[in-house]
Amino acid sequence: MNNPHYLASWKPLLLFPVLGLLTIWIYWPGQAGPVLLDDRAVLLPLSELQENPSLAWDFVFEESSGLLGRAVSMATFVFEKMYLGDSIATTKKINIALHLFNGGLVAWLFYLLFSHLRTPSCGALALVLAAIWLLSPIYASTVLYAVQRMAMLSTTFALAACIAYCYWRTSLSLGREKYSNLVICAGLLTLGLFSKENALVTVPIILLIETLWYQFEDARGKPIPRLRSVTLGLIIAGAVGLLVVFIAQYDELAGRFGSRPYTLEERLFTQLPVLWDYVSQTYWPQVQRMGIYHDDVPLSRSLLQPVTTFYAFLGWLAVLALAAVLSFKRVGRYCVLGLLWFLVGHSMEAGPFSLELYFEHRNYLPGVGLVLLLGVFYHLLIGKWRDLSAPVLTYFWIYAGLLAVFTASQVQVWSSRPLLIFNHYNSHPQSYRAITDMSVLMAKLGDMDAAREYSRQSYEASVHERSGDQLIRNLALSCIADRTVEAEVFESLGTDHPRRPFRSPSGLLLLVRMLQNGECDSFDRIAFADRMAQIFLAPDADATANKTVHYALASLENVLQRYANALSYTELFLAQSPSNTDGLLMKLHFTTALGKQGMRQEVISRLQQFDEQGKLTVREQQTLQLYLEQ
């Protein structure tokens, strides 16, 4: 049955360019959408490359978002900014093109898998399954949230690695083993890891493809004992190794949740219903709930609180039990691959790491498994009733068309910042971030009463803010609307929870950035800076804050040319992060401005030591050299 020599009809795949044009037409309005969240931190600094291309190396290799740095993803952003212009629209156009390319890989992979099973009309099946994946609205936030190119690229290399493995597997079945395909597979996996580290799940996915799809058989259906031993050995060793590491590192993993409003256990419990929601949003999407803000997702405090968590747990137990039963049958194993592809694909970002509870872009690779299940359903159905091939494929195309309509509506929302803000707020009225965005939008429109009301709602929805954070946000809103702030408002800062008046640095960072840029002339920057100095720098001050707060206030004092205060804030920053080279360079600047030669020389010596150890970036080396020449 499973004859690799079988040449299934590939001609329907020639229609993929038509599907590609439809995808581009649907997604194209989204390129006019705004910069969002992590886009600001990751992409906006790249504008410096226009004037200083030598910083390219820094941006590629100094990205700290992931464990491995994500150099491949950053290289694409750097190349784009240097040669294609500094425009968020260009970034999103490239993402749209990458999504289309990934759709082609999905079609290619499905063709290889189903042609191996000699599935009738497998070329047409691969094309419509790729259409379902390409046009699913759950991926709109991945494609149009610019920085998620990292997730898209890791999927690109994961899919390509699976394709390379399929070609190696076919050559092995035919007795003409081509190790070059395995080398290509390993190389693609490496590129995926340096795009985003969750590409690591490609390894177990490939092992599952072998175990559940190829089932260790050659072209004549005979088992390949060596392949079975190696594959099952790797699966067992990996599972046992991960369990041992999880147990051994449990305390460290749990400790990383100190800055989160939930514990490790609560996160794992919450993922049980979240995974079911991902399944629901993939197969039958509720687009009104889609977006990037899901901080209002119900938190599961235990397996029974709320009780829906227990139901979700029972549901996944039933799925795993069904998978165990199906695994005893050849055709059942094909279904199990789709199920486990989805679960394994989520194993890192739905696992024990200190991450947020819900993001749609996490489904970009795991969702391939859910679409694969539809193909397996077709294969099983047509195996019994061949005449149903055309009707089932037609129904799949109708389904893909319905998804396309949903996606088109989502893209229109993502094409406009106000539309996106209103959509997020209407869909998630309890979301702290969505409400905060509404307050900013109202301030930009000049409606300060509405802005303050949304700010109050945001404070009530937050699980970590203090009243001081709300006051800072209101000051930022006043700056946005260019409204005068009464002196007593400044005086009220720091009166609540005086030991740690501010817990969230985001509002302060926004305010300081606007003050640095001179965006609100009516705002009394001196009065604000004086009050913050009373809170943090007075002789009897004992207030503490996140190091980011001290860094921001040092930057503000630098703009005001009050270098003594700026140096004091920098010292507070370095007390929490003593080896931070950016902080040391700030200290060098302020000690030089104040003529403190002894402190200045100490900082220079330390920075030179870091330079000798290769710890300074190109930008930092250039900055240090400027001070050495003074």
Side-chain angles (χ1 to χ4, degrees), residues 165 169 206-212 214-216 227 231:
Y165 181 83
R169 188 58 177 80
I206 288 176
L207 295 175
L208 289 172
I209 289 175
E210 177 58 52
T211 304
L212 299 169
Y214 290 101
Q215 302 182 26
F216 318 118
L227 183 60
T231 303

Side-chain angles (χ1 to χ4, degrees), residues 167-178:
Y167 277 106
W168 173 79
R169 188 58 177 80
T170 299
S171 69
L172 178 65
S173 296
L174 296 174
R176 299 193 298 269
E177 188 172 3
K178 294 183 179 179

Side-chain angles (χ1 to χ4, degrees), residues 2 117 208-217 228 232 322-341 372-373 376 379-380:
N2 299 338
L117 302 185
L208 289 172
I209 289 175
E210 177 58 52
T211 304
L212 299 169
W213 202 271
Y214 290 101
Q215 302 182 26
F216 318 118
E217 294 179 347
R228 175 189 284 121
L232 294 181
L322 176 62
V325 173
L326 290 174
S327 64
F328 286 99
K329 298 289 186 179
R330 170 184 292 276
V331 293
R333 293 174 200 138
Y334 306 145
C335 297
V336 176
L337 175 60
L339 293 171
L340 294 187
W341 184 310
L372 179 64
L373 274 176
V376 173
H379 173 79
L380 297 178

Side-chain angles (χ1 to χ4, degrees), residues 541-553:
D542 60 354
T544 61
N546 182 289
K547 64 181 182 181
T548 307
V549 171
H550 298 310
Y551 187 94
L553 292 174

Side-chain angles (χ1 to χ4, degrees), residues 305-322:
Q305 185 184 1
V307 69
T308 50
T309 305
F310 183 65
Y311 297 149
F313 173 69
L314 291 179
W316 286 119
L317 276 184
V319 167
L320 294 177
L322 176 62

Side-chain angles (χ1 to χ4, degrees), residues 89-371:
T90 301
T91 304
K92 297 191 178 190
K93 290 174 185 176
I94 293 174
N95 280 15
I96 294 169
L98 182 59
H99 182 54
L100 179 59
F101 182 77
N102 286 341
L105 292 177
V106 169
W108 189 358
L109 177 61
F110 283 169
Y111 174 76
L112 294 175
L113 292 176
F114 287 105
S115 64
H116 175 76
L117 302 185
R118 303 192 66 175
T119 303
S121 304
C122 67
L125 175 64
L127 181 65
V128 71
L129 293 179
I132 291 171
W133 186 84
L134 266 174
L135 301 174
S136 177
I138 198 172
Y139 304 129
S141 58
T142 309
V143 178
L144 299 178
Y145 182 9
V147 78
Q148 290 309 325
R149 184 183 300 174
M150 297 177 179
M152 298 175 70
L153 276 171
S154 70
T155 298
T156 301
F157 294 114
L159 292 171
C162 291
I163 291 170
Y165 181 83
C166 289
Y167 277 106
W168 173 79
R169 188 58 177 80
T170 299
S171 69
L172 178 65
S173 296
L174 296 174
R176 299 193 298 269
E177 188 172 3
K178 294 183 179 179
Y179 287 102
S180 59
N181 287 325
L182 277 185
V183 173
I184 293 172
C185 181
L188 291 167
L189 174 60
T190 302
L191 291 173
L193 290 172
F194 282 96
S195 298
K196 190 177 181 181
E197 58 279 359
N198 65 338
L200 185 61
V201 301
T202 311
V203 175
I205 286 175
I206 288 176
L207 295 175
L208 289 172
I209 289 175
E210 177 58 52
T211 304
L212 299 169
W213 202 271
Y214 290 101
Q215 302 182 26
F216 318 118
E217 294 179 347
D218 63 15
R220 294 170 294 178
K222 293 183 178 181
I224 307 175
R226 177 171 58 91
L227 183 60
R228 175 189 284 121
S229 299
V230 172
T231 303
L232 294 181
L234 288 173
I235 291 176
I236 294 171
V240 172
L242 288 175
L243 180 61
V244 170
V245 170
F246 176 71
I247 295 173
Q249 299 294 322
Y250 183 85
D251 290 338
E252 180 182 346
L253 290 170
R256 295 178 181 178
F257 284 77
S259 60
R260 298 287 185 186
Y262 43 83
T263 65
L264 167 59
E265 294 81 3
E266 290 170 341
R267 182 178 195 276
L268 293 177
F269 285 134
T270 304
Q271 292 308 297
L272 295 171
V274 163
L275 288 173
W276 277 118
D277 194 66
Y278 288 154
V279 173
S280 172
Q281 289 290 67
T282 300
Y283 283 137
W284 192 253
Q286 294 177 302
V287 293
Q288 66 272 18
R289 293 197 295 111
M290 289 184 172
I292 56 174
Y293 292 157
H294 295 277
D295 50 295
D296 59 342
V297 65
L299 183 65
S300 298
R301 297 295 181 183
S302 69
L303 194 58
L304 298 175
Q305 185 184 1
V307 69
T308 50
T309 305
F310 183 65
Y311 297 149
F313 173 69
L314 291 179
W316 286 119
L317 276 184
V319 167
L320 294 177
L322 176 62
V325 173
L326 290 174
S327 64
F328 286 99
K329 298 289 186 179
R330 170 184 292 276
V331 293
R333 293 174 200 138
Y334 306 145
C335 297
V336 176
L337 175 60
L339 293 171
L340 294 187
W341 184 310
F342 174 76
L343 292 175
V344 169
H346 277 292
S347 59
M348 290 187 66
E349 292 182 297
F353 299 107
S354 179
L355 301 171
E356 294 201 30
L357 298 175
Y358 191 117
F359 269 127
E360 292 167 7
H361 66 258
R362 293 172 181 169
N363 291 277
Y364 199 68
L365 176 60
V368 175
L370 297 181
V371 178

Side-chain angles (χ1 to χ4, degrees), residues 43-59:
L43 303 181
L44 294 186
L46 298 180
S47 58
E48 297 181 47
L49 289 168
Q50 300 291 327
E51 297 181 0
N52 193 351
S54 63
L55 298 179
W57 189 268
D58 288 355
F59 285 119

Side-chain angles (χ1 to χ4, degrees), residues 19 22-23 25-27 131-138 140 285 287 396-412:
L19 174 60
L22 173 63
T23 303
W25 179 71
I26 289 173
Y27 268 100
I132 291 171
W133 186 84
L134 266 174
L135 301 174
S136 177
I138 198 172
V287 293
F396 279 174
W397 277 113
I398 293 173
Y399 177 52
L402 181 62
L403 294 178
V405 173
F406 288 154
T407 300
S409 68
Q410 280 294 97
V411 171
Q412 290 299 322

